[in-house]
Amino acid sequence: MADTLTVTDNRNGKTYEIPIRDGAISAIELRKIKTSEDDFGLMSYDPAYLNTASCRSSVTYIDGDKGILRYRGYPIEQLAEKATFLECAQLLLEGELPSKSRHDQFVHEVMHHTFVHENVKRFMEGFRYDANPMSMFISAVAALSSFYPEANEVEDPAVRHRQIVRLIAKVPTLAAYSYRHSQGLPYVYPSNELSYTGNFLAMVFKMSEMKYVPNPTLERAFDVLFILHADHEQNCSTSTMRQIGSSRVDPYSALAGAAAALYGPLHGGANAEVLYMLEKIGKKENVPDFIKKVKSKDAMLMGFGHRVYRNYDPRAKIIKKLAHEVFQVTGTNPLLEIAMELERIALEEEYFISRKLYPNVDFYSGLIYQAMRFPVDFFPVLFAIGRTVGWLAQWQEMLQDKEQKIARPRQIYTGPDKRDYVAMGGRG
Ligand code: CMC
């Protein structure tokens, strides 16, 4: 049997044969379907890209029905248990797990690019004392572009590599500065002798001690959280990174746009929304009433549901387990009880079962962040640090993909037909 689709246009009875490749037809093939020579040809209409593949990618694989997530073929469960975040970063960026020497070199490179220009500090100081850390983070990432004018040479692999290393190295510094600014605390310079995660914790939490020693459980927990957030194929922010990057702008500008997309409450901002929701519910006894509101569509159960997963998000399973390890050090987050009760009831309810709504990555991550004393509005910034690697891996893949061009969707115009300008005095 041929791998083709036969389509009959009932407007004129013509038949077309469209090739099927990798379970997809090429949308441009539809343009051949015309009723006359000057007909533009058929388009496909797909708001929010519910059924449109925008690229070929070998970075991340998700099977939403089975709850599978793999980076370059490796199951997320194995990576979260055995790998470090920077090892995963190399895997995502380079396609293979690195050898020891390659990895040592990469860690050295990253840890020696963690400092930012002193002017960045002054730039941060311009924000109001109560500025949202994610706004500061997004702006600071965009501002980095002005420090590295060479970054717009995106076709040059060596230049590209330098910016990738700089971004991975500097996002924790910018994130920590935005935290310290919002707390009214002095900025802490990076310590290159610490691990990637240990250095981040030091820049956030170091006070008057001479040498900050990160708690090993919390340090590892963060490494795992960064791994779990590192990539998730063509989600809203990653598609934004590819879309902006397709104009060949520098990666700092593109990544600022991706981070802005992440900030939204339906995406990376959901981890903060979960906490606000749990605080509003207040106690376990109020959970059934809240579920009623969700079922009547008067509330959303934040941290539940996913465009791709129609099963338990595998990251949520790992995070739930991790939460218990973190709570051994920090003490239990009192909101955990409410979260677990919400999950228990929701998973038994027809509303959630029929819609295949399960906890996603954001459902439990916020509880960990809060137990570590991070303010809620800082949670999306933590997501952005891990996701930076995925954004860069996907951006690089897009630039190297010969099938890609500047992203430019079509539209179905629904506005008025041509009409003539009317002077202001003559308008109704
Ligand atoms: N609470 C209550 N109802 C929900 C929820 C939810 N969290 N999510 C989906 N539904 C309902 C929705 O109302 C719709 O019902 P109906 O068929 O009666 O109209 C049905 O489930 C299908 O939902 P949808 O809106 O078509 O699903 P989507 O694929 O467009 O949206 C989503 C996916 C993640 C935006 C959505 O589930 C959501 O808003 N969840 C809450 C926010 C959240 O946790 N976001 C984090 C996602 S994971 C990490 C990340 O991407 O950053």
Side-chain angles (χ1 to χ4, degrees):
M1 261 206 300
D3 278 351
T4 60
L5 178 74
T6 304
V7 178
T8 302
D9 185 347
N10 292 323
R11 295 173 298 179
N12 55 17
K14 276 196 197 165
T15 295
Y16 302 83
E17 193 137 309
I18 301 176
I20 298 176
R21 194 176 152 207
D22 300 326
I25 60 162
S26 164
I28 202 77
E29 288 284 328
L30 300 176
R31 290 271 285 280
K32 293 178 186 157
I33 303 178
K34 300 177 174 210
T35 50
S36 63
E37 259 318 298
D38 56 0
D39 182 353
F40 179 76
L42 213 59
M43 290 190 294
S44 61
Y45 176 59
D46 189 10
Y49 306 109
L50 292 182
N51 194 36
T52 296
S54 62
C55 62
R56 295 177 180 282
S57 179
S58 60
V59 181
T60 290
Y61 173 79
I62 301 176
D63 182 329
D65 290 327
K66 296 197 181 112
I68 291 174
L69 169 61
R70 296 182 197 136
Y71 295 161
R72 304 276 188 190
Y74 294 100
I76 192 67
E77 294 78 6
Q78 292 183 23
L79 294 170
E81 194 188 329
K82 298 179 177 147
T84 64
F85 174 63
L86 287 185
E87 214 182 330
C88 286
Q90 275 185 289
L91 174 67
L92 289 165
L93 288 161
E94 298 166 8
E96 295 297 335
L97 285 169
S99 65
K100 166 109 179 54
S101 62
R102 220 3 245 120
H103 185 57
D104 289 349
Q105 189 192 331
F106 182 71
V107 173
H108 179 87
E109 266 186 286
V110 169
M111 296 315 295
H112 285 79
H113 281 88
T114 49
F115 275 68
V116 292
H117 195 287
E118 282 292 285
N119 285 0
V120 173
K121 265 175 37 186
R122 258 172 268 150
F123 176 78
M124 299 296 273
E125 276 156 15
F127 286 102
R128 271 176 61 116
Y129 67 95
D130 60 351
N132 186 294
M134 194 61 173
S135 308
M136 288 190 258
F137 177 79
I138 294 167
S139 315
V141 171
L144 279 190
S145 134
S146 69
F147 293 94
Y148 306 108
E150 60 158 9
N152 58 17
E153 290 163 38
V154 296
E155 307 289 357
D156 182 328
V159 174
R160 220 163 44 215
H161 177 75
R162 259 199 306 282
Q163 314 319 313
I164 287 174
V165 167
R166 281 185 177 136
L167 268 160
I168 295 172
K170 293 180 201 308
V171 288
T173 314
L174 299 181
Y177 280 15
S178 72
Y179 171 83
R180 302 286 292 201
H181 181 84
S182 66
Q183 301 297 303
L185 292 166
Y187 304 133
V188 175
Y189 286 112
S191 320
N192 298 348
E193 74 278 5
L194 291 173
S195 72
Y196 184 81
T197 314
N199 169 50
F200 173 61
L201 292 175
M203 289 189 292
V204 168
F205 292 125
K206 187 172 181 300
M207 296 305 283
S208 58
E209 60 270 47
M210 284 301 284
K211 210 171 157 62
Y212 177 87
V213 182
N215 176 293
T217 306
L218 302 188
E219 188 179 2
R220 176 62 192 157
F222 250 107
D223 221 45
V224 174
L225 285 162
F226 288 157
I227 291 171
L228 297 179
H229 286 92
D231 195 50
H232 213 236
E233 52 119 304
Q234 309 313 316
N235 56 82
C236 178
S237 57
T238 303
S239 305
T240 304
M241 180 83 193
R242 281 178 172 262
Q243 177 112 3
I244 301 178
S246 76
S247 74
R248 302 300 188 263
V249 74
D250 69 87
Y252 303 97
S253 303
L255 204 131
L262 186 78
Y263 189 8
L266 299 187
H267 193 8
N271 53 17
E273 296 297 324
V274 171
L275 256 286
Y276 295 134
M277 174 188 77
L278 295 175
E279 278 165 1
K280 215 162 145 194
I281 294 173
K283 53 183 184 206
K284 197 176 154 186
E285 292 69 34
N286 296 340
V287 169
D289 271 354
F290 180 75
I291 295 278
K292 259 191 222 150
K293 276 195 200 147
V294 173
K295 284 170 27 185
S296 60
K297 305 238 185 242
D298 292 319
M300 286 277 280
L301 178 45
M302 299 310 283
F304 257 65
H306 200 276
R307 171 64 57 79
V308 182
Y309 292 120
R310 298 300 174 195
N311 201 325
Y312 214 102
D313 181 336
R315 301 167 300 174
K317 270 190 202 154
I318 300 168
I319 290 184
K320 193 174 171 183
K321 189 166 157 268
L322 194 66
H324 290 287
E325 288 165 28
V326 170
F327 296 159
Q328 299 281 325
V329 179
T330 60
T332 302
N333 187 328
L335 297 174
L336 175 69
E337 202 191 17
I338 303 173
M340 287 177 65
E341 182 67 357
L342 263 178
E343 182 188 335
R344 190 187 67 75
I345 298 185
L347 293 182
E348 285 171 359
E349 287 278 348
E350 167 58 20
Y351 176 95
F352 297 91
I353 296 169
S354 61
R355 290 172 180 77
K356 300 190 175 165
L357 299 173
Y358 292 88
N360 59 47
V361 69
D362 294 316
F363 193 64
Y364 285 104
S365 59
L367 291 173
I368 301 185
Y369 299 146
Q370 196 183 47
M372 289 185 183
R373 309 214 191 304
F374 283 106
V376 177
D377 58 9
F378 192 63
F379 296 177
V381 179
L382 297 167
F383 192 154
I385 298 174
R387 185 56 56 87
T388 290
V389 162
W391 289 330
L392 292 167
Q394 301 268 353
W395 168 74
Q396 181 175 250
E397 186 178 64
M398 180 272 302
L399 289 173
Q400 290 171 332
D401 183 347
K402 296 274 176 282
E403 285 185 341
Q404 291 293 338
K405 287 171 181 287
I406 185 166
R408 201 327 184 165
R410 291 277 171 187
Q411 66 164 9
I412 297 172
Y413 177 67
T414 60
D417 207 347
K418 182 191 173 250
R419 47 188 176 162
D420 290 323
Y421 179 79
V422 179
M424 214 174 269
R427 293 173 210 162

